[in-house]
Amino acid sequence: MIINRKKKSDVLPSEITSHSSYLNRRQFLGQTAALSIAAAALPAQAIQTHESTRKQRPEWLAKQVAAAKETKWGKGESLTPYSNVTQYNNFYEFGTGKDDPYKYASKFKTDPWMVEIDGECEVKGKFTLEDILSQVDLEERIYRLRCVEAWSMVIPWIGFELSALLKRFKPLSSAKYVEFTTLHDPKQMPGQRSVFSTIDWPYVEGLRMDEAMNPLTLMAVGLYGEVLPNQNGAPFRLVVPWKYGFKSIKSIVKIRFVEEMPKTTWAELAPSEYGFYANVNPEVDHPRWSQARERRLPSGLFKPNRIETQMFNGYEEEVAAMYSGMNLRKFY
Ligand SMILES: Nc1nc2c(c(=O)[nH]1)N[C@H]1C(S)=C(S)[C@@H](COP(=O)(O)O)O[C@H]1N2
Ligand SMILES: [Mo]
């Protein structure tokens, strides 16, 4: 059956299903921290997705995620169904196919997890994820995610403001950028063993200091009310909603304060196609395709769900001031 979305406010049946089952689930979580019971409110397919990883998730994390506070962010926005969010991924460490991360990351070990802090800051060292999360409050934020490949999703993340974490390490005035590094573990990550991979592992991303400290910038540890599935970057990933998705680096093990602009994975690999800034911008096309529009998932042959891409992915009010006077064609 072909369903045309006539108005922006028209909600698709698939969205209603996913949203309501999620809301039911939220109420559940509010009433009890017993995750095994809460899981009963998830659709069968979702339970399957989680079965392989749930066992290894620490109880303290599951509890903290379940207690995250709701916020105004993205209220009323139609969520991309859980099945798309967790089975249509980019996580090249587990393969380049969109369903590779879902298929190959289920046994990925995310506990214990250490994060190393280094560079231009007073407080350095290795911290456990538990230590890092003991000093922040988790909240839910519904953000749009716009991939540079011109598809997008709306995801209810659970996380905290990156600025809250960075302040703890007392960055020096010489810290102009923040560099993030993903785990390098070819034994666990088949994409890092692949002889066809052109990526120089580990995956590295970076932000300018003011971007890192912007209140929109989130560190996520969960989505859809529960602990982050491995394929989405467990246990700890960046979410920068006004930038193309590749900036939102997954499974972070190192955060470094640096003076110089970090050499980031995609900008190093294809500098004419991917810039350091990577702000979502409908007016600056990728050399091989237009960025004026995007495919909002769920999207199919008969219902492509193509929408117009917004400047800064619709977060202009929150972030435009950081780029005033900057030529965004030059600094793409
Ligand atoms: N380490 C790492 N982080 C990564 C990627 C990757 O391949 N490796 N892909 C990026 C891209 S291109 C996108 S669009 C988002 C996708 O996030 P999601 O799979 O949770 O939707 O993750 C980003 N973070
Ligand atoms: Mo992406």
Side-chain angles (χ1 to χ4, degrees):
M1 188 170 62
I2 302 168
I3 303 154
N4 285 314
R5 178 182 245 182
K6 293 181 194 77
K7 292 189 264 87
K8 210 183 165 196
S9 54
D10 282 355
V11 178
L12 297 164
S14 56
E15 289 168 339
I16 294 167
T17 312
S18 100
H19 201 175
S20 58
S21 61
Y22 170 55
L23 291 178
N24 290 342
R25 180 140 197 286
R26 257 207 88 90
Q27 283 174 344
F28 237 106
L29 291 170
Q31 288 157 10
T32 170
L35 289 173
S36 54
I37 298 171
L42 272 172
Q45 170 210 30
I47 292 171
Q48 223 174 23
T49 307
H50 284 260
E51 206 57 70
S52 50
T53 48
R54 182 177 293 116
K55 280 167 273 163
Q56 61 151 321
R57 289 171 171 168
E59 184 76 9
W60 63 266
L61 180 58
K63 278 196 177 135
Q64 198 176 342
V65 164
K69 287 189 223 48
E70 280 186 73
T71 64
K72 65 174 171 64
W73 293 102
K75 269 264 147 62
E77 198 133 16
S78 296
L79 302 181
T80 297
Y82 181 87
S83 56
N84 294 115
V85 173
T86 58
Q87 292 177 45
Y88 189 93
N89 301 99
N90 276 335
F91 198 170
Y92 278 24
E93 285 84 342
F94 292 99
T96 54
K98 289 285 181 280
D99 57 351
D100 283 346
Y102 167 73
K103 286 194 293 204
Y104 303 122
S106 65
K107 293 197 172 77
F108 180 47
K109 258 185 75 70
T110 58
D111 178 49
W113 192 266
M114 302 295 290
V115 183
E116 187 186 345
I117 308 297
D118 201 4
E120 307 293 309
C121 57
E122 280 177 37
V123 183
K124 304 180 201 211
K126 290 196 170 177
F127 299 81
T128 61
L129 185 66
E130 191 166 11
D131 180 353
I132 283 173
L133 292 187
S134 70
Q135 310 216 357
V136 296
D137 288 319
L138 294 185
E139 52 182 63
E140 178 179 76
R141 293 194 185 190
I142 297 167
Y143 278 167
R144 296 176 288 276
L145 174 90
R146 168 55 158 88
C147 178
V148 74
E149 298 163 339
W151 51 264
S152 65
M153 301 194 194
V154 179
I155 304 176
W157 300 107
I158 307 280
F160 59 92
E161 284 183 19
L162 174 62
S163 68
L165 178 65
L166 296 189
K167 279 174 196 157
R168 176 178 170 190
F169 308 120
K170 301 195 165 71
L172 305 173
S173 59
S174 52
K176 304 291 187 223
Y177 297 88
V178 187
E179 180 193 82
F180 306 87
T181 307
T182 294
L183 179 72
H184 187 226
D185 188 355
K187 280 207 180 97
Q188 290 202 79
M189 296 170 144
Q192 293 179 336
R193 305 195 289 269
S194 169
V195 291
F196 301 107
S197 176
T198 49
I199 293 177
D200 185 15
W201 306 107
Y203 195 99
V204 173
E205 258 310 332
L207 294 172
R208 213 168 60 186
M209 200 65 189
D210 60 336
E211 298 176 324
M213 300 306 268
N214 188 284
L216 261 191
T217 307
L218 202 73
M219 293 301 295
V221 293
L223 58 76
Y224 265 102
E226 72 169 17
V227 176
L228 215 51
N230 293 344
Q231 61 270 35
N232 294 92
F236 183 61
R237 62 94 52 95
L238 186 65
V239 181
V240 197
W242 73 95
K243 292 180 180 285
Y244 291 120
F246 67 84
K247 297 296 290 183
S248 293
I249 180 173
K250 297 176 168 181
S251 306
I252 296 167
V253 290
K254 196 170 176 185
I255 300 177
R256 213 157 63 91
F257 296 93
V258 293
E259 287 194 65
E260 306 289 329
M261 185 181 280
K263 291 195 186 323
T264 54
T265 295
W266 286 103
E268 285 291 302
L269 195 64
S272 62
E273 302 189 11
Y274 310 102
F276 174 82
Y277 284 95
N279 292 316
V280 175
N281 189 340
E283 286 161 22
V284 178
D285 288 337
H286 185 278
R288 291 183 280 131
W289 59 83
S290 165
Q291 295 291 26
R293 293 165 72 74
E294 66 201 50
R295 226 165 24 92
R296 171 63 54 84
L297 271 68
S299 152
L301 196 56
F302 298 109
K303 194 196 66 63
N305 206 16
R306 301 219 349 130
I307 59 172
E308 290 193 0
T309 290
Q310 303 177 74
M311 188 63 204
F312 296 115
N313 202 21
Y315 300 101
E316 197 161 7
E317 203 179 301
E318 289 84 2
V319 304
M322 292 192 289
Y323 310 103
S324 65
M326 236 175 102
N327 181 348
L328 297 177
R329 271 181 195 284
K330 190 172 170 215
F331 299 103
Y332 54 91

